[in-house]
Amino acid sequence: MSRPLCALWVFMVLLGDRLASPYRPETEPLDPEPHEANSIVELEVPPELDGTMSDGELVPHHYPAQRAAKVVQHYLNTRHGSPYRWIELHRVNKASLEDLGQAGKKYYLEISLKEVISNTDLGQCSAEVLFSGEQDQGAPQVQCPCEGLQKLNTTAEEEALFQRLNSSATPLSGSNIPDSYGHIAPEMKPLWHLGAAAASFVMLKESNESTLYNMAQVANITQLETENGQLRFKYHVLLHDMISQEILHWKLLVSWSPAGGVSVLQTEGQPKPAESTPEDTAPTSAS
Amino acid sequence: MRKDDIMIAAGLAFLILCVQNIDCTSDKSMQEGTPWNYDYTRYHPVSEISDWMERVVTDNPELVSSSVYGETFEGRNITYLKIGLGSEEVQKKAIWMDCGIHAREWIAPAFCQWFVKEILLHYKTDKKLNEMLKNMDLYVTPVLNVDGYMYSWINESTRLWRKSRSTPPEGCTCHGVDLNRNFNANWGTVGVSRDCCHNTYCGSGPVSEKEAQAVTQFVGSRVDQILCFLTIHSAGQLLLLPYGHPHISAPNYDELMAVGRAAAKAMKAVHGMDYRVGTSPDILYPNSGSSRDWARLMGIPFSYTFELRDKGEFGHLLPEEQIQPACEEAFEGALFIITYVHDKAFHNRTEIGAASVARAFWATVLGSCLATMYLL
């Protein structure tokens, strides 16, 4: 009586084996000589390797759409960023490009966004990014009406922070946020986010189709006297451009209040600091 | 019917036991495998990594050996761990993995250490891993750019150093070469700077840097052995395939993409993080002189650059709290590719996906059924 049941087991095993459906690559038989070195061959670029498809449509995960979407992130953080709000691009879902000749290049994007601090999914937003033509090197122009932003409410925390910093006897200061290990003291986190929002003004202005900016670090922050109901800070921020891999130093004069949002009153690009060659780098023994 | 009931029950019991054995990583304590409590969730300076490497070899002589295969500009050893089971005399097929070619990408050396720890933790009990280590050796270089990495540890102002620490060439005033632009792969053509003060300075000539020479000599003399070349970087959450030049396509591009996509899927399954897959000119930027490109040009069929977390929030200053999740997902991606490459070479098998795991599962079911049938 056990035989038919075991036959059933065997059948199930074999069925299961088939159902674990193997992916078969479309082409590519096993390469009989896998280690022949290839010389450099000029090949025609197949369409999917090119950033553009037909009718200006772009591959969403390729770099042109990604760079344009990052610009939208900077734009949104200039408008909505605060000590308790930082918006991050989650994904580019759809993208297309319109060449406007001398007027520049216009990207149309469908993106999903996230507010990182509260881990809020902001849903899908449409955006347009216009990179101006070569003559005029102005900041890219962005439009991104995003309804998901309405659900963010950070008033209570912002008011509390404002009161604390406004009435504190000693002006706040800090440096290396985050530090080398990626650590940020909890009380400095809102000032880090504020720095990121302020840095977004610079990153937005400096962005073009050949850049991809992120803020690497707040090198230094010093609180100044409150003026006109706005807290004021001097920031020294480090920006990282992924394309050139350079670190760019900027000094910013920033004002903020819960009602007024973030303003950047002055910006000053800094030359790269001179290289230091501390003696510690010389090896004492080969290890 | 009683005999059948017993058989079904026993079969299920075997099944449950066997499924538990297949379960691999994540849940186990991170401290096992290296019982002296090395903390894999912290960043370590070169001296600690060197001590760790010595200890790993001493404690696991049947599995791990180490060797110096080059010298940095400042005269420091460049060392790999060779991980494999079986005779030293036999020249086995191999996998190459290097970390820390860019100094500031601290999560990369952290990953190489994590990777080794995971191997040590599971190689005795994980049958698949055991088989792979019998068939292949893993060459793991935890820190390739030792000079640069040490420099990035000096103080906060040096933390974001990227290049090597070679002295300035004539007519220029800054140290260092971007080692990942220095390899002999369309050297100096695209995505580089000729200004020695820039972070993508490709050097005075191809393979001008001692660190690039070390990899070129070692890997170059074993091209027939090496099935897969993995080079670990941060940040950006990307899996890059050859080539960095926009007008050149690898002959096995389709397969590289398929395997890369599947690896990214395996990575996403761990903590939900997206990793984009493609050639560098497609998804990031064109570049030349990368080690990944050089390896593919030499004929190593699988060659990938891993760009680990994150996507810009912390960038290279990835918090230590993220070391574990970043390494867990990267491990799944690396293991996927290594397993695929192994199965292609040793089992003539090129399925992608959960197939290989499912096969093990169903094979175990069949085995348990047959065993139960015999016992009863």
Side-chain angles (χ1 to χ4, degrees):
Chain A
M1 272 216 271
S2 63
R3 251 177 233 278
L5 211 58
C6 209
L8 177 64
W9 272 102
V10 173
F11 172 74
M12 276 170 61
V13 167
L14 293 172
L15 179 66
D17 197 70
R18 293 303 299 163
L19 287 175
S21 47
Y23 169 92
R24 305 222 177 272
E26 281 167 14
T27 54
E28 306 293 339
L30 278 176
D31 189 351
E33 290 168 49
H35 295 297
E36 52 186 286
N38 12 302
S39 47
I40 303 162
V41 175
E42 286 280 333
L43 292 177
E44 204 181 303
V45 179
E48 59 271 17
L49 283 187
D50 195 330
T52 46
M53 295 160 10
S54 58
D55 299 333
E57 210 181 329
L58 298 174
V59 178
H61 67 277
H62 283 191
Y63 78 79
Q66 293 285 322
R67 289 181 197 174
K70 184 69 95 170
V71 173
V72 179
Q73 176 183 307
H74 298 322
Y75 167 81
L76 290 174
N77 281 312
T78 63
R79 294 291 182 106
H80 303 278
S82 88
Y84 293 96
R85 260 192 249 159
W86 192 69
I87 295 155
E88 191 181 44
L89 170 72
H90 182 58
R91 200 179 285 136
V92 180
N93 300 308
K94 223 165 171 276
S96 62
L97 171 61
E98 195 183 348
D99 192 334
L100 302 173
Q102 285 216 327
K105 300 251 194 71
K106 197 169 199 187
Y107 289 77
Y108 298 87
L109 305 166
E110 305 282 330
I111 57 181
S112 30
L113 297 161
K114 198 168 94 156
E115 196 291 297
V116 169
I117 303 167
S118 62
N119 201 19
T120 306
D121 179 1
L122 298 175
Q124 291 239 47
C125 299
S126 302
E128 289 175 18
V129 181
L130 173 63
F131 291 107
S132 56
E134 275 197 67
Q135 298 297 335
D136 174 27
Q137 288 288 321
Q141 291 176 45
V142 182
Q143 285 180 56
C144 184
C146 192
E147 279 176 27
L149 290 164
Q150 310 305 326
K151 51 171 130 169
L152 299 175
N153 187 346
T154 49
T155 319
E157 307 99 302
E158 292 181 18
E159 285 290 346
L161 179 72
F162 182 88
Q163 292 309 322
R164 184 160 53 84
L165 292 176
N166 199 27
S167 53
S168 163
T170 41
L172 173 138
S173 68
S175 54
N176 302 311
I177 308 160
D179 68 13
S180 289
Y181 305 90
H183 294 152
I184 304 176
E187 64 273 14
M188 293 309 290
K189 269 205 167 141
L191 286 313
W192 175 57
H193 292 302
L194 178 60
S200 297
F201 284 82
V202 177
M203 294 193 286
L204 175 63
K205 184 162 184 295
E206 298 293 309
S207 284
N208 55 51
E209 286 170 285
S210 302
T211 59
L212 189 73
Y213 284 112
N214 289 290
M215 184 179 80
Q217 194 187 49
V218 171
N220 204 278
I221 171 182
T222 312
Q223 184 180 1
L224 306 172
E225 271 191 35
T226 304
E227 222 175 73
N228 300 326
Q230 308 273 313
L231 294 174
R232 293 196 316 152
F233 304 90
K234 235 174 36 179
Y235 270 94
H236 180 162
V237 297
L238 305 183
L239 306 182
H240 173 237
D241 170 32
M242 184 75 91
I243 313 310
S244 65
Q245 293 290 353
E246 295 298 331
I247 303 293
L248 299 103
H249 295 244
W250 283 82
K251 287 202 165 134
L252 312 174
L253 180 60
V254 180
S255 74
W256 172 73
S257 69
V262 181
S263 301
V264 176
L265 309 171
Q266 275 175 40
T267 66
E268 204 182 309
Q270 305 286 299
K272 225 163 143 179
E275 265 187 35
S276 54
T277 41
E279 314 232 331
D280 298 340
T281 51
T284 48
S285 60
S287 56
Chain B
M1 283 303 283
R2 265 188 59 198
K3 217 175 177 182
D4 298 324
D5 288 341
I6 293 166
M7 209 201 81
I8 293 167
L12 282 171
F14 266 93
L15 200 68
I16 291 162
L17 288 170
C18 292
V19 167
Q20 277 182 337
N21 266 342
I22 292 174
D23 169 48
C24 288
T25 55
S26 300
D27 293 335
K28 301 255 165 75
S29 155
M30 72 192 83
Q31 306 293 6
E32 293 172 37
T34 47
W36 72 93
N37 286 334
Y38 190 77
D39 193 342
Y40 293 91
T41 65
R42 289 261 182 279
Y43 295 118
H44 294 275
V46 164
S47 55
E48 288 175 15
I49 297 175
S50 301
D51 290 347
W52 167 82
M53 287 173 75
E54 278 175 24
R55 190 81 189 251
V56 162
V57 170
T58 315
D59 286 4
N60 301 276
E62 77 289 357
L63 181 70
V64 191
S65 62
S66 77
S67 193
V68 175
Y69 65 98
E71 246 186 30
T72 66
F73 180 83
E74 289 175 343
R76 298 187 174 89
N77 287 343
I78 306 175
T79 316
Y80 65 66
L81 292 174
K82 181 181 174 190
I83 305 171
L85 292 166
S87 165
E88 278 295 317
E89 278 94 67
V90 179
Q91 267 228 340
K92 292 156 68 183
K93 293 295 185 189
I95 306 283
W96 171 270
M97 182 188 291
D98 66 75
C99 294
I101 192 172
H102 287 140
R104 61 192 180 197
E105 298 167 11
W106 284 15
I107 186 63
F111 173 67
C112 264
Q113 294 163 72
W114 181 278
F115 179 84
V116 170
K117 178 260 296 178
E118 285 295 311
I119 304 290
L120 295 180
L121 201 56
H122 297 292
Y123 81 97
K124 284 180 185 160
T125 52
D126 185 323
K127 285 194 167 62
K128 183 65 185 179
L129 188 56
N130 198 280
E131 178 205 354
M132 293 202 291
L133 290 170
K134 286 196 172 105
N135 290 333
M136 304 186 303
D137 287 327
L138 312 177
Y139 290 95
V140 180
T141 301
V143 187
L144 177 53
N145 180 7
V146 185
D147 294 349
Y149 187 69
M150 282 189 76
Y151 185 77
S152 74
W153 273 81
I154 293 174
N155 57 44
E156 295 285 353
S157 74
T158 64
R159 173 64 176 84
L160 292 174
W161 187 258
R162 170 179 165 92
K163 301 186 287 184
S164 68
R165 288 297 301 166
S166 51
T167 44
E170 205 166 309
C172 196
T173 55
C174 303
H175 283 69
V177 168
D178 186 342
L179 293 173
N180 206 36
R181 302 288 186 276
N182 190 240
F183 283 78
N184 192 11
N186 310 308
W187 177 87
T189 53
V190 69
V192 297
S193 175
R194 297 303 190 119
D195 183 338
C196 85
C197 291
H198 285 180
N199 266 340
T200 54
Y201 174 54
C202 54
S204 52
V207 215
S208 59
E209 301 305 287
K210 297 191 74 181
E211 296 84 352
Q213 287 164 23
V215 176
T216 300
Q217 270 158 29
F218 184 83
V219 174
S221 64
R222 286 166 178 74
V223 160
D224 287 340
Q225 253 184 284
I226 294 177
L227 299 170
C228 180
F229 185 95
L230 301 176
T231 179
I232 314 296
H233 294 240
S234 78
Q237 293 178 212
L238 309 169
L239 207 48
L240 300 172
L241 6 147
Y243 291 107
H245 195 289
H247 297 151
I248 304 165
S249 200
N252 60 340
Y253 169 83
D254 287 343
E255 190 181 20
L256 287 169
M257 270 302 277
V259 174
R261 284 206 176 114
K265 199 169 162 198
M267 291 170 86
K268 183 165 174 149
V270 184
H271 296 297
M273 288 297 189
D274 285 327
Y275 282 73
R276 290 184 289 132
V277 182
T279 65
S280 196
D282 279 349
I283 65 173
L284 185 59
Y285 45 55
N287 69 353
S288 57
S290 68
S291 62
R292 168 205 68 228
D293 282 3
W294 171 81
R296 186 62 196 92
L297 279 173
M298 291 298 291
I300 294 170
F302 290 88
S303 188
Y304 292 95
T305 307
F306 275 67
E307 294 280 1
L308 302 184
R309 289 191 188 188
D310 62 15
K311 292 197 295 186
E313 187 185 359
F314 291 93
H316 298 120
L317 304 180
L318 193 72
E320 287 180 313
E321 307 88 75
Q322 285 200 44
I323 292 178
Q324 178 166 350
C327 288
E328 283 170 340
E329 68 206 16
F331 182 79
E332 292 305 316
L335 185 65
F336 184 93
I337 295 171
I338 290 168
T339 306
Y340 178 89
V341 160
H342 167 270
D343 287 354
K344 183 173 180 177
F346 292 93
H347 298 300
N348 224 16
R349 197 161 64 205
T350 52
E351 302 99 7
I352 287 176
S356 50
V357 172
R359 274 177 188 272
F361 173 86
W362 287 107
T364 313
V365 168
L366 175 62
S368 71
C369 158
L370 294 171
T372 318
M373 201 175 71
Y374 268 100
L375 286 175
L376 289 175

